[in-house]
Amino acid sequence: MRVLVAEDEEILAELVATGLRRAGFAVDTVYSGDAAQAYLGLHDYDVVVLDRDLPRVHGDDVARGLVASGSRTRILMLTAAGSMEDRVSGLDLGADDYLGKPFEFPELVSRVRALRRRSARPVPPQLVRHGIRLDSVRRTATRDGRELDLSPKEFTVLQLLLEADGGTVSAEELLERAWDANADPFTGAVRVCMSKLRGKLGEPSLIRTVQGVGYAL
């Protein structure tokens, strides 16, 4: 759900981030290796899209540090050097996948989605509970056969609630998993999103608030 894009070409970084957000991910962008290390130390990312040739701290060193720390964050390494030797050395560093530049954007999105599935506990592509059917690949959701017109954020929150399988998900966890680093924890963004999602799901209400703990489906 949450991705860090570490790419020193700022225009490319923002294009990648914009496309991933449209695909439903919460995305942060950084433009140097030391900034990537700082963000990876602060937030729990599912995937880092890591340019290999980063300034200040090389992408290889970022990858080595991430692997050494035992992080569950998956690494998709980007590089302009696309030879077999480069791919092998990148994977030997601990990268989970490797993509040469230039690349086709749909392939990048598909690879990020595949890595995200590997970073979390296995969940089926279709989640079904209380009449809700959510397809995480096609990004569609229905309730009792009625199509739900959800925003990307609402879709992600619903997916997190379904993945919890009846368990409670805290507002802090929702904010961490579905919003990027620019989200203000004091704005009530989770509460507002939850209110809109409840309205779109309709009656009878399916989402319950567990006072002082979070939300459950």
Side-chain angles (χ1 to χ4, degrees):
M1 297 294 177
R2 191 160 186 183
V3 179
L4 177 65
V5 176
E7 165 63 61
D8 67 325
E9 297 178 39
E10 294 189 21
I11 293 176
L12 176 59
E14 294 308 322
L15 285 173
V16 169
T18 298
L20 289 172
R21 289 184 186 112
R22 288 175 179 167
F25 294 97
V27 185
D28 298 322
T29 54
V30 293
Y31 314 115
S32 65
D34 56 341
Q37 289 177 324
Y39 270 63
L40 288 164
L42 286 172
H43 305 290
D44 184 19
Y45 292 100
D46 295 291
V47 178
V48 56
V49 179
L50 181 65
D51 180 37
R52 194 166 187 182
D53 192 22
L54 289 173
R56 293 202 285 275
V57 176
H58 198 275
D60 288 0
D61 293 323
V62 175
R64 286 190 189 96
L66 199 58
V67 172
S69 72
S71 172
R72 71 177 192 88
T73 301
R74 301 297 183 178
I75 303 170
L76 172 57
M77 191 169 277
L78 299 180
T79 183
S83 70
M84 182 186 70
E85 290 79 8
D86 288 307
R87 291 197 298 272
V88 170
S89 65
L91 293 170
D92 283 346
L93 286 169
D96 299 281
D97 201 354
Y98 198 99
L99 193 58
K101 300 177 185 176
F103 52 82
E104 296 294 330
F105 194 77
E107 182 181 6
L108 173 66
V109 173
S110 179
R111 286 172 182 259
V112 169
R113 281 184 175 146
L115 288 178
R116 188 265 161 184
R117 288 193 292 271
R118 289 168 56 186
S119 72
R121 67 180 180 83
V123 293
Q126 290 201 13
L127 298 166
V128 181
R129 188 177 180 87
H130 299 309
I132 295 176
R133 181 178 295 273
L134 182 146
D135 189 321
S136 62
V137 177
R138 295 182 176 85
R139 294 194 64 79
T140 58
T142 61
R143 179 179 183 183
D144 298 327
R146 173 177 61 87
E147 187 171 349
L148 301 172
D149 182 20
L150 304 179
S151 71
K153 198 70 67 185
E154 292 159 358
F155 186 94
T156 299
V157 168
L158 180 59
Q159 183 174 349
L160 289 167
L161 291 172
L162 286 166
E163 287 181 0
D165 197 24
T168 303
V169 184
S170 70
E172 291 78 11
E173 183 178 352
L174 289 171
L175 195 65
E176 171 71 18
R177 308 305 299 157
W179 276 263
D180 60 32
N182 295 317
D184 185 343
F186 302 106
T187 60
V190 173
R191 178 176 48 78
V192 171
C193 181
M194 200 64 70
S195 176
K196 291 180 179 179
L197 180 57
R198 281 179 167 131
K200 291 183 179 182
L201 290 176
E203 297 295 337
S205 180
L206 292 178
I207 300 173
R208 57 190 177 88
T209 301
V210 182
Q211 197 64 36
V213 181
Y215 303 90
L217 191 67

